[in-house]
Amino acid sequence: MSTNSTTTSWLGSWPRRAARSPSPATSSYPQEEHRVLFEFVVVLNGDPLDIQRLQDKFVAGKELAALHLWEAGCDCCRWPVDVLFDGRGKMYLHTGWEKFARYHDLQAGCVLTFSYLGDADMSVKVFDDTSCRRHYHGDDDEEDD
């Protein structure tokens, strides 16, 4: 299995609030808020279109078949991404990841902050190689992140 080299760091799971994503049958996100259960950072090195390995501390005890990635601050964009496990307990973002990466124009040097909300829902913030957050359509978070 060819994987991309990534650098990850654990930010912890202190109480934070984030919008919850919808069930797979809905097309927009409910406005209620839920706690972030786990948060980590991935620095993209190499080809960002390759499958991406998730942080080992996040993987511990999880048996997810897929994740629903959504842009932090966007109430309408959800990206289903299949999860692949290797024989050594490592978890990778697989089918659907390339579409997410292309849409967000991810490049080597980008930093992604993943916030796991439970129920296979994960919000993603994208920072470019200058450490500035990228804002996409419908992104109404603070402008000065």
Side-chain angles (χ1 to χ4, degrees):
M1 171 186 313
S2 171
T3 61
N4 189 27
S5 170
T6 60
T7 304
T8 59
S9 61
W10 178 66
L11 295 178
S13 56
W14 58 86
R16 287 198 158 198
R17 307 293 281 177
R20 183 185 165 104
S21 74
S23 67
T26 62
S27 62
S28 64
Y29 296 97
Q31 295 304 314
E32 64 184 80
E33 294 185 353
H34 295 274
R35 288 192 185 273
V36 170
L37 301 176
F38 196 89
E39 191 168 48
F40 59 95
V41 172
V42 173
V43 178
L44 297 177
N45 299 313
D47 185 357
L49 300 180
D50 284 347
I51 64 174
Q52 297 295 315
R53 182 174 156 195
L54 295 175
Q55 215 274 347
D56 289 344
K57 283 188 177 183
F58 170 71
V59 174
K62 293 183 181 54
E63 295 183 18
L64 301 168
L67 287 169
H68 307 124
L69 301 181
W70 54 278
E71 301 163 18
C74 181
D75 63 353
C76 63
C77 300
R78 183 171 57 103
W79 304 87
V81 176
D82 290 342
V83 173
L84 177 71
F85 286 91
D86 67 9
R88 299 169 293 161
K90 307 297 182 197
M91 182 189 290
Y92 300 86
L93 296 175
H94 192 250
T95 306
W97 170 254
E98 182 177 348
K99 188 173 181 179
F100 178 88
R102 283 186 190 281
Y103 180 84
H104 293 90
D105 193 28
L106 299 183
Q107 302 167 1
C110 283
V111 176
L112 308 178
T113 301
F114 290 90
S115 299
Y116 184 67
L117 307 171
D119 296 328
D121 295 329
M122 187 173 285
S123 72
V124 182
K125 289 183 182 178
V126 178
F127 296 83
D128 64 23
D129 59 355
T130 66
S131 300
C132 293
R133 181 165 172 209
R134 290 185 181 174
H135 290 273
Y136 299 93
H137 66 81
D139 195 349
D140 58 5
D141 269 1
E142 298 173 17
E143 294 297 322
D144 298 330
D145 280 21

